[in-house]
Amino acid sequence: VGMLPSVNDLFDLSKLSDKASEQIKLAVLNNTLDEYKERIGKFIDFSTLEKRLGNKKSIYMDFCGTHLGWIRAQFITTEFDEKKHLSKVLFTTQVINEEKIREQNLVRISDTDELTQVKNRRCYEFDIKEFSKKSLDKNFTLVSFDLNSLKITNDEKGHAAGDELLQGVAWCISEIFGKEGKIYRTGR
């Protein structure tokens, strides 16, 4: 168990001692970044496992390891006793860095305006909904800019010139305000 992330161990819960359970927990925690330790510690708690599994075949949690990056820990139900209590469970871990990188890229692509590389209208609308659900910090500021004469630039100099103008404006705004918050392009 100390050799994360390639764990594939079948545990007989009726024979799993508190000491063995603690050793498993320590092996996982010793290979976990600090910000994930509390959550993964609760996840691998065998004493609450049956309740958390409920009628599910499996449960999993993704966390970031100290050396190997993203890891998925999973409990898979394998056997019940005669009283229909969980008796055996498979605990597995696997490195999922490539999956997480693909996921992050998809999120980035879906939230980014292709032309200007700032956040897009979809991301803006989602964030506004999220802001409306909670009280805003007293220092919260929303700044809106409008680029005048873009149509004239497009008509007289061509869409490539208009695109370059949008990119330049987005770059300038990002340079000035980018460290303070998010920059969005909400126009079409």
Side-chain angles (χ1 to χ4, degrees):
V1 172
M3 301 299 288
L4 281 178
S6 58
V7 174
N8 280 312
D9 285 333
L10 183 64
F11 293 101
D12 184 336
L13 298 179
S14 65
K15 296 178 183 174
L16 185 65
S17 70
D18 289 342
K19 184 177 180 182
S21 178
E22 260 322 289
Q23 287 176 333
I24 294 163
K25 192 174 188 175
L26 281 173
V28 173
L29 291 176
N30 286 337
N31 288 286
T32 302
L33 290 179
D34 288 341
E35 59 263 32
Y36 295 93
K37 284 186 178 187
E38 184 177 340
R39 285 183 52 228
I40 194 67
K42 289 178 182 176
F43 179 78
I44 58 175
D45 183 354
F46 283 90
S47 68
T48 64
L49 183 58
E50 184 171 12
K51 182 178 180 183
R52 288 182 291 125
L53 269 164
N55 294 327
K56 300 178 203 119
K57 298 254 187 226
S58 67
I59 57 174
Y60 72 90
M61 183 189 148
D62 298 344
F63 65 100
C64 208
T66 52
H67 303 292
L68 298 163
W70 283 98
I71 299 169
R72 176 167 292 146
Q74 184 173 19
F75 284 108
I76 304 168
T77 302
T78 60
E79 202 172 300
F80 293 91
D81 64 17
E82 63 280 349
K83 295 180 181 177
K84 305 229 188 257
H85 291 286
L86 183 64
S87 61
K88 290 187 181 174
V89 66
L90 179 65
F91 177 67
T92 68
T93 59
Q94 68 184 84
V95 175
I96 58 166
N97 279 324
E98 288 181 23
E99 182 180 326
K100 281 294 188 180
I101 289 168
R102 277 191 304 274
E103 180 182 302
Q104 289 166 345
N105 282 336
L106 287 172
V107 168
R108 184 188 55 76
I109 288 167
S110 71
D111 285 350
T112 304
D113 177 64
E114 188 176 344
L115 178 66
T116 61
Q117 297 302 303
V118 298
K119 300 291 183 188
N120 61 21
R121 180 183 206 98
R122 186 185 88 51
C123 183
Y124 171 79
E125 289 172 354
F126 176 83
D127 286 351
I128 290 297
K129 277 185 193 172
E130 291 301 305
F131 290 141
S132 70
K133 292 178 185 175
K134 57 186 176 186
S135 61
L136 298 175
D137 185 282
K138 67 179 180 177
N139 295 324
F140 179 84
T141 304
L142 178 67
V143 179
S144 178
F145 296 95
D146 184 28
L147 182 56
N148 294 328
S149 304
L150 179 60
K151 182 176 180 350
I152 295 169
T153 301
N154 283 335
D155 291 346
E156 293 179 5
K157 305 220 184 243
H159 286 278
D163 289 352
E164 191 175 330
L165 180 60
L166 284 169
Q167 290 168 330
V169 169
W171 181 84
C172 288
I173 293 170
S174 295
E175 284 294 304
I176 295 167
F177 295 105
K179 290 184 177 107
E180 303 301 322
K182 293 182 181 179
I183 310 299
Y184 306 89
R185 177 181 175 210
T186 60
R188 302 207 191 275

